[in-house]
Amino acid sequence: MASPPLNAEPSQPQEREEQHLPPKTYVDAAVENLAGDSEKDNNAPSQYIGHGEDDAPRSPLRKPHKRNGSLRVNGLRNKTSAQSLLVEKFRDRDGKHLTSINPHDSEDSGQQTQKSPSRRTGAGELVSGRRAGAGWEKSGFVSSLLSHTPDPVDSVRIHWAPLNVPLKRRLQTLVVLWHTLCIALFLTTFFFLCAIPIFWPLLFPYVLYLLFSTAGHSGTLSRRSPFLRSLPIWSLFASYFPARLHRSQVLPPTRKYIFGYHPHGIISHGAFAAFVTEALGFAQLFPGITNTLLTLDSNFRIPLYRDYALALGLASVSRESCENLLSKGGANGEGMGRAITIVVGGARESLDAQPGTLRLVLKRRKGFVKLGIRTGADLVPVLAFGENNLYDQVQPETHPVIHKTQLVVKKALGFTVPLFHARGVFNYDVGMMPYRTPLNIVVGRPIKVAQQKVPDEAYVDEIHGLYVAELERLWREWRGEFAKGMKADLEFVE
């Protein structure tokens, strides 16, 4: 190939004018350009390898076709048992660990779950329950949301869910919707039956039984159904957020325990997923311990719903119920191996459930400490990272009148209704469905209690101080893992 001339004619009009050359025609310039391109192509390598030195956009590489369907049809894909467990470990800066129980979920993730790399070294372990519905965050829609930059004009619009949402995500939404509205649905069903005279002979004795029943606070747990608590639909419920349960220390089943759940949030979805169902592997993390989540006694006077709650293993939060649960039954008939879970902050704390904050109503809450001392039950703090991020609600600073009204209702009736909103069933901006925000429920170390029939006030304050210190430790050690980007600090009020 002949080398180009040393003094080639200039192509720019200004340079040609300086050398007194006639202007080059468009045809000549085009022919010269094509000749130069073909010469570059002949000298170019067979494959271009670049590192993005310029700002020109480049198309993504085409990914090879995954023949998952073909392999599954021909029986060549590995099948793993739904109950096969794998330990996953987290480590904090002091060398303490959280270990997860993870099932191989090849249907969701397309590959076997691997042990996550250890980030720090140490001796203790934080053990986590199974990952419910692993791989949901890999859907294309969630990836597009994470990479989408919000537009100020677009933020005032309602974003509707696309029609091609995977079936699993639709089922997750359906189960969470059921849990959110189940009380209203049971009440509607009851009044509908009351409108049909043929059911009156059954409803009348049922209402009498409802008024005088003691099943909610007897402590026998005779209506508890392990089958209902272990249904696969609860795995869909937990994977909606998704939620994980983590254990700081093994709890021997020869003791009894009071789990204190913080914060309350709006509806305490994390407490339901971790301690009412087996979706997060409570039985694997705490073998030999029978845990009961406590709720308002008035819930056991709601027709039909109270039977559903009893079958799930819920019980009343009254003092009689707590003492019965911790002093009856169990391996020795005196409550050994039993545990109760109390949402300590209660309805008052739900009014402070603002996203990005963690305000706990705990300074004057010492009744659960006295209960633990009277029954000899160890106290176990539980901190749920992400519970307050599931809903938005009216802020007391901007609406002080509404906030004061809610406090008056709370004082008069014992409960209150926060004015909250989140997303909807078919949209992502308006509704009563919680946001899909990760929930990490971390169970702390137990605070051993010496039993006293009449608790000493100084000893109550001492145990209460140890309990608060353990909550602060959980926040300090795991906020970097489970509360990344959260600027507000842990705060104790009232």
Side-chain angles (χ1 to χ4, degrees):
M1 180 179 64
S3 60
L6 296 178
N7 298 320
E9 289 186 0
S11 59
Q12 298 297 328
Q14 185 177 2
E15 296 176 358
R16 294 182 67 85
E17 184 178 356
E18 291 176 355
Q19 299 184 21
H20 307 286
L21 296 174
K24 184 177 291 187
T25 64
Y26 176 82
V27 176
D28 294 336
V31 172
E32 183 178 341
N33 188 31
L34 290 174
D37 291 344
S38 61
E39 189 172 298
K40 291 180 182 179
D41 292 340
N42 293 333
N43 295 330
S46 58
Q47 182 178 2
Y48 172 76
I49 302 177
H51 299 281
E53 295 86 350
D54 56 11
D55 296 331
R58 289 177 170 79
S59 300
L61 296 177
R62 183 183 297 272
K63 296 183 180 180
H65 174 63
K66 296 182 180 180
R67 305 189 329 180
N68 292 340
S70 303
L71 296 177
R72 190 183 299 112
V73 171
N74 291 283
L76 299 178
R77 191 172 181 178
N78 292 332
K79 297 182 178 179
T80 56
S81 172
Q83 301 297 329
S84 60
L85 302 177
L86 185 68
V87 173
E88 179 182 358
K89 296 183 179 179
F90 301 90
R91 293 191 172 102
D92 68 358
R93 66 173 67 90
D94 297 328
K96 306 304 179 183
H97 302 255
L98 291 172
T99 309
S100 309
I101 298 178
N102 240 351
H104 295 301
D105 197 348
S106 58
E107 293 297 326
D108 288 339
S109 61
Q111 58 185 6
Q112 289 187 347
T113 307
Q114 298 179 354
K115 186 187 296 184
S116 62
S118 299
R119 300 177 183 175
R120 305 175 185 91
T121 59
E125 291 185 352
L126 179 64
V127 183
S128 310
R130 64 169 63 95
R131 186 190 299 271
W136 73 269
E137 66 277 5
K138 296 183 180 180
S139 67
F141 176 72
V142 175
S143 301
S144 65
L145 284 182
L146 296 176
S147 61
H148 175 66
T149 302
D151 186 356
V153 178
D154 190 56
S155 61
V156 299
R157 303 173 183 172
I158 295 180
H159 300 83
W160 298 97
L163 296 178
N164 59 345
V165 172
L167 176 61
K168 181 176 181 179
R169 290 174 62 83
R170 292 294 191 195
L171 294 176
Q172 290 170 347
T173 303
L174 179 63
V175 176
V176 174
L177 179 65
W178 158 256
H179 175 64
T180 305
L181 301 178
C182 61
I183 294 181
L185 293 175
F186 277 119
L187 277 175
T188 302
T189 303
F190 175 76
F191 288 120
F192 175 77
L193 295 177
C194 289
I196 304 176
I198 194 175
F199 290 106
W200 290 356
L202 298 176
L203 293 177
F204 182 73
Y206 174 77
V207 172
L208 292 178
Y209 166 76
L210 186 73
L211 295 175
F212 298 101
S213 174
T214 60
H217 52 82
S218 64
T220 59
L221 300 179
S222 59
R223 304 282 296 275
R224 184 185 181 108
S225 172
F227 171 77
L228 180 60
R229 293 167 58 92
S230 303
L231 286 178
I233 60 172
W234 304 128
S235 181
L236 291 170
F237 175 88
S239 61
Y240 172 92
F241 304 100
R244 297 292 302 278
L245 178 63
H246 311 276
R247 182 193 70 195
S248 297
Q249 183 176 322
V250 176
L251 300 182
T254 55
R255 303 281 296 177
K256 39 190 172 183
Y257 304 94
I258 297 177
F259 288 71
Y261 185 87
H262 309 269
H264 183 284
I266 300 295
I267 307 183
S268 300
H269 286 298
F272 181 86
F275 305 118
V276 177
T277 76
E278 285 298 328
L280 303 183
F282 182 88
Q284 285 79 24
L285 292 176
F286 304 99
I289 296 177
T290 302
N291 197 351
T292 303
L293 179 65
L294 306 183
T295 184
L296 294 176
D297 186 68
S298 58
N299 288 332
F300 297 94
R301 297 291 179 261
I302 301 177
L304 301 183
Y305 173 76
R306 50 99 56 192
D307 302 285
Y308 171 72
L310 290 172
L312 285 172
L314 275 73
S316 170
V317 75
S318 65
R319 175 176 174 176
E320 179 186 4
S321 174
C322 295
E323 293 182 347
N324 287 336
L325 286 168
L326 294 175
S327 59
K328 299 179 181 179
N332 62 349
E334 297 179 356
M336 186 177 71
R338 285 232 178 146
I340 60 175
T341 298
I342 303 176
V343 185
V344 179
R348 172 63 187 87
E349 193 173 80
S350 66
L351 299 179
D352 293 328
Q354 299 288 345
T357 65
L358 192 57
R359 305 182 70 211
L360 305 184
V361 178
L362 189 59
K363 286 185 177 180
R364 294 184 294 178
R365 299 290 174 107
K366 299 180 181 180
F368 72 102
V369 179
K370 296 178 182 179
L371 173 66
I373 296 175
R374 285 197 304 267
T375 58
D378 297 340
L379 305 182
V380 184
V382 181
L383 192 59
F385 293 87
E387 183 72 57
N388 282 348
N389 299 332
L390 299 181
Y391 294 93
D392 293 312
Q393 72 164 315
V394 173
Q395 298 187 6
E397 294 81 7
T398 57
H399 299 82
V401 177
I402 295 178
H403 185 68
K404 290 180 181 179
T405 304
Q406 291 173 325
L407 293 178
V408 171
V409 173
K410 166 65 176 65
K411 187 175 182 179
L413 302 179
F415 66 92
T416 187
V417 180
L419 299 181
F420 64 92
H421 73 90
R423 52 161 292 176
V425 178
F426 300 108
N427 73 83
Y428 302 101
D429 303 286
V430 181
M432 298 180 61
M433 293 287 294
Y435 293 120
R436 286 182 179 265
T437 302
L439 275 174
N440 286 281
I441 301 102
V442 182
V443 180
R445 301 166 184 165
I447 298 162
K448 292 190 176 181
V449 174
Q451 186 172 7
Q452 298 178 359
K453 291 185 178 179
V454 181
D456 180 67
E457 290 297 329
Y459 187 58
V460 170
D461 293 338
E462 177 187 351
I463 297 299
H464 186 269
L466 294 175
Y467 183 91
V468 172
E470 176 63 12
L471 275 176
E472 292 176 336
R473 182 195 70 83
L474 291 177
W475 168 252
R476 184 176 60 254
E477 293 185 359
W478 299 108
R479 66 176 299 181
E481 186 74 34
F482 303 130
K484 297 178 181 178
M486 183 173 170
K487 297 181 181 179
D489 201 1
L490 174 64
E491 182 181 359
F492 296 99
V493 296
E494 295 188 15

